[in-house]
Amino acid sequence: MVHLIEETPYRWRLECQGAMRVPGVVFASRALVADIRDDPALEQVQNVATLPGIVVASYAMPDIHWGYGFPIGGVAATDIDRGGVVSPGGVGFDISCGVRLLLSQLSQDDLRGRMGPLMDALASRIPRGVGPGGVWASADGADLAALLRDGSRHAVARGYGDDRDLEFCEDHGAVSGADIAQVSERALQRGLAQIGSLGSGNHFLEVQVVDRIHDGEVARSWGLGLGRICVMIHCGSRGLGHQICTDHVRLMLGAMPRLGIKVPDQQLACAPVDSAEGRSYLGAMAAAANFGRANRQLLTAATRAAFEDSVGGGGLELLYDVSHNLAKIEAHDVDGVRRRLCVHRKGATRALPPGDPDLPPALAAHGQPVLVPGSMGTASYVLAGVQGGEAFHSTCHGAGRRLSRHAAVRRVRSVALRHELEESGIAVRASSMRGLAEEAPLAYKDVDEVVASCEAAGLARRVARLRPVGVVKG
Amino acid sequence: MTVPRRTPRPASGASGYRLLPHTADVQLLVWGPSREACLEQVVRAFAATFTRAEAATSREWRSVSIPAGPNEEQLVALIDEVLYLIDVDGQVPVAARVRRLPDGSVTAAFDTVPTTDVRQTGSVPKAASRHALAFARYHSGWRARVTIDV
């Protein structure tokens, strides 16, 4: 068992041992720590601490759980100018998996008696589940190449949204440095078949209502009034991102003997950022990140069309779109010196503080909106980045799983779950009943506890709580 | 949660698979008298994670070739082929005949059903992870373990 030392409430340390280059730091309440004490996720925090060039600590967010290579909920930064590596496993298979939140002009009362038609329209308009198919079925290779280079900007240029959508998307809708030459033909073909699709697993589209305000000033500034209807979209870069991760892990495993790198888990395969393999991966990763953002933009267009079809519109405007699986080149102070770092966030969300120049002017006063999808049936949250946020300004990305899919299915009868959700006022449109059971609320940690831990640990602060009233799942 | 230490010992000539829990994903444990039998079980196990295809009527055969290489690499490559057929061609491989050629390469003939015909019973896998990947001799047969990203 890994030995955790409670440094302060909500902050725990794993001492350096063996090949670890830095300590591990876990942000969590005692209750959340009790859930993970015997979990392989903590060994994964230790494994990440062995990566060449890692600085400060191998971090874990309060929603940490067992991944492969990196834990999910892990943050690690490497010093690029001191041989720091980039690891595709530190980004995850679903490159730029992320969340966006659309705010409507509707209140819950406005939808009374109209949820059925709205959910049917969303179910009809949102491609999801197994196999090919997407919102932009007529896209060709040239469109795909443009999406990989320009992300949401190309989707908007082709009529799937407006300039405001770009202003409020991380990186204004596109990561720079995308290199399509580093994306395999197989990845391109998987991507072309799925442009504008939700997928399955824990991905979803939810109609939500603002049901609690934690910070009135920020909530007002962001338009999060009590009772307001929102739409949260959680998905990523689909088969394209997964294939890029698979391809580049294979390439790096082949190069590691030459580079003199050994890792304790093959999924931690890595190469220096400043190497041919590192640059190749970052170019392909940027392309996948742009696909992920464009994917969410296309689903936004489909969502607006569904609202138009069923309730005559809704004035859906983007509050923010942020990835929680990504590596970014960022400048941070390490031991008082400004360093160029490659910050991996795998199942962790960047949380920029108030005044950060990367924020849109309209959001700069209060910090970056952090969108935390919870489990269906419980709640999701909007948080805000804070000054002095640790872990290179990172926070949680969701509730975090506590039960495996197997265990969830064993404990939950899907028909009963659906009935319970409907009884509590949550309309469900799911491709698979077992898939619904796999994502049952009891499979997740208590999202209220997770976000409260983030706030108590000084990673972010709570702004508003959102309760689902309609769930579309693949 | 930990992976169970007790795993099946292949009976003489027997093949099979088991789906093991992994917090957000699923692990496939397969066994058989040969590497090829294990790869065939991987295809069955993979499909079993998210479909029930017995009722599907429209079937096709698709063949692929996997180059010679380490056992684990061939396993990951086989899953890559399965994923490609699902995502791009809309065909779910539900079974396979796997043969090894003298040069060490492998051919797999997949028995597939259209995605539109399968009943989706769970979340669709998207990649094969290298975490805890294993494919080696086990008693008188072979055994492989692979974690699938869901």
Side-chain angles (χ1 to χ4, degrees):
Chain A
M1 193 170 75
V2 176
H3 183 55
L4 274 172
I5 301 163
E6 186 175 14
E7 286 191 321
T8 60
Y10 301 98
R11 184 191 170 100
W12 307 71
R13 191 174 74 251
L14 293 161
E15 295 286 18
C16 263
Q17 55 178 277
M20 290 171 70
R21 298 167 193 259
V22 291
V25 171
V26 179
F27 297 103
S29 64
R30 286 185 180 178
L32 290 170
V33 163
D35 259 0
I36 57 164
R37 274 196 183 278
D38 299 325
D39 195 290
L42 292 179
E43 290 170 28
Q44 294 183 324
V45 173
Q46 292 179 312
N47 289 343
V48 170
T50 69
L51 289 178
I54 188 169
V55 294
V56 189
S58 166
Y59 289 106
M61 301 294 113
D63 52 333
I64 179 179
H65 58 277
W66 187 21
Y68 15 77
F70 273 63
I72 297 166
V75 177
T78 61
D79 187 335
I80 297 169
D81 299 313
R82 296 185 175 187
V85 294
V86 60
S87 171
V91 171
F93 279 107
D94 198 0
I95 297 166
S96 194
C97 181
V99 188
R100 66 171 44 195
L101 187 68
L102 306 166
L103 307 182
S104 82
Q105 305 302 317
L106 305 171
S107 70
Q108 195 170 13
D109 284 344
D110 293 328
L111 290 183
R112 212 165 295 284
R114 300 200 287 174
M115 275 303 288
L118 172 60
M119 294 306 295
D120 289 341
L122 287 168
S124 161
R125 291 252 186 198
I126 301 296
R128 62 196 196 280
V130 61
V135 171
W136 194 356
S138 63
D140 58 17
D143 281 316
L144 177 61
L147 284 178
L148 298 183
R149 187 183 61 239
D150 299 330
S152 296
R153 295 172 197 165
H154 184 65
V156 167
R158 294 298 298 267
Y160 294 100
D162 56 40
D163 287 346
R164 195 187 176 286
D165 293 335
L166 302 179
E167 184 184 354
F168 290 92
C169 184
E170 183 182 15
D171 305 311
H172 302 289
V175 178
S176 61
D179 185 353
I180 299 165
Q182 309 308 323
V183 180
S184 69
E185 184 60 31
R186 185 173 290 249
L188 292 172
Q189 289 187 34
R190 288 179 73 180
L192 188 59
Q194 298 178 323
I195 300 175
S197 59
L198 194 61
S200 65
N202 65 347
H203 293 162
F204 64 75
L205 182 151
E206 279 187 3
V207 180
Q208 303 173 335
V209 60
V210 180
D211 86 330
R212 190 186 300 162
I213 301 292
H214 288 269
D215 186 323
E217 183 189 349
V218 181
R220 260 192 309 281
S221 167
W222 289 353
L224 291 162
L226 268 181
R228 189 168 184 179
I229 292 290
C230 315
V231 175
M232 182 173 277
I233 299 173
H234 175 209
C235 65
S237 52
R238 310 286 286 114
L240 179 135
H242 285 77
Q243 191 66 52
I244 285 173
C245 181
T246 297
D247 294 341
H248 285 264
V249 165
R250 184 183 288 123
L251 286 172
M252 287 187 182
L253 283 172
M256 280 166 44
R258 172 171 53 79
L259 296 166
I261 296 174
K262 288 183 180 171
V263 290
D265 182 327
Q266 279 200 40
Q267 199 64 28
L268 288 174
C270 57
V273 173
D274 196 11
S275 68
E277 291 80 9
R279 285 189 291 273
S280 171
Y281 172 67
L282 285 170
M285 182 207 73
N290 291 339
F291 185 95
R293 282 132 199 234
N295 196 35
R296 292 192 287 277
Q297 183 62 42
L298 288 156
L299 292 172
T300 297
T303 302
R304 286 172 174 151
F307 270 70
E308 196 66 44
D309 292 347
S310 57
V311 296
L316 291 168
E317 290 194 342
L318 183 61
L319 172 65
Y320 203 62
D321 178 307
V322 65
S323 304
H324 49 229
N325 280 2
L326 205 59
K328 296 193 99 165
I329 309 302
E330 301 175 3
H332 292 274
D333 290 338
V334 178
D335 298 329
V337 179
R338 204 70 173 161
R339 297 275 180 205
R340 266 195 328 142
L341 304 181
C342 178
V343 183
H344 302 73
R345 297 185 180 90
K346 181 179 179 184
T349 313
R350 189 193 69 172
L352 296 175
D356 191 283
D358 285 343
L359 285 171
L363 299 176
H366 300 297
Q368 178 206 303
V370 175
L371 310 173
V372 181
S375 63
M376 63 183 178
T378 56
S380 295
Y381 273 86
V382 180
L383 315 180
V386 294
Q387 295 290 356
E390 281 204 72
F392 313 103
H393 290 295
S394 307
T395 189
C396 68
H397 87 305
R401 282 195 86 94
R402 52 178 286 273
L403 291 183
S404 71
R405 292 176 186 281
H406 279 68
V409 170
R410 276 202 302 272
R411 293 191 196 184
V412 176
R413 284 185 54 242
S414 53
V415 174
L417 171 63
R418 184 181 185 131
H419 183 69
E420 278 172 29
L421 291 170
E422 300 271 359
E423 282 287 296
S424 57
I426 304 169
V428 178
R429 301 291 184 274
S431 299
S432 150
M433 292 302 279
R434 196 183 107 181
L436 196 68
E438 290 176 357
E439 295 296 322
L442 66 75
Y444 284 86
K445 302 177 202 280
D446 177 354
V447 70
D448 296 332
E449 177 85 8
V450 167
V451 296
S453 294
C454 287
E455 185 167 290
L459 301 173
R461 71 177 188 282
R462 291 170 291 182
V463 175
R465 183 180 191 266
L466 314 173
R467 174 172 51 82
V469 293
V471 179
V472 178
K473 288 195 71 67
Chain B
M1 179 175 311
T2 56
V3 176
R5 290 191 185 281
R6 246 167 25 92
T7 52
R9 178 180 297 193
S12 57
S15 300
Y17 69 81
R18 185 183 288 176
L19 308 180
L20 301 176
H22 185 274
T23 310
D25 304 289
V26 62
Q27 282 190 339
L28 315 183
L29 182 70
V30 302
W31 59 92
S34 65
R35 286 175 290 179
E36 296 74 41
C38 281
L39 293 174
E40 290 173 353
Q41 291 301 316
V42 164
V43 175
R44 288 183 179 277
F46 191 93
T49 65
F50 73 104
T51 64
R52 190 164 298 158
E54 295 90 352
T57 51
S58 166
R59 290 181 175 244
E60 290 185 28
W61 286 91
R62 301 289 183 97
S63 291
V64 299
S65 180
I66 295 164
N71 297 327
E72 290 86 353
E73 291 302 318
Q74 290 190 319
L75 193 164
V76 171
L78 181 84
I79 291 175
D80 259 14
E81 297 291 349
V82 171
L83 287 163
Y84 181 86
L85 284 171
I86 295 170
D87 278 2
V88 179
D89 291 354
Q91 295 284 329
V92 180
V94 294
R97 281 204 311 264
V98 176
R99 298 285 178 269
R100 186 171 300 274
L101 303 181
D103 66 358
S105 66
V106 159
T107 61
F110 294 119
D111 179 7
T112 73
V113 295
T115 53
T116 48
D117 281 9
V118 298
R119 182 172 152 228
Q120 189 186 330
T121 58
S123 299
V124 187
K126 289 165 289 196
S129 156
R130 306 273 178 158
H131 169 65
L133 177 64
F135 193 171
R137 284 192 177 279
Y138 184 65
H139 297 282
S140 59
W142 287 78
R143 186 178 64 172
R145 180 177 58 181
V146 59
T147 308
I148 302 297
D149 181 81
V150 174

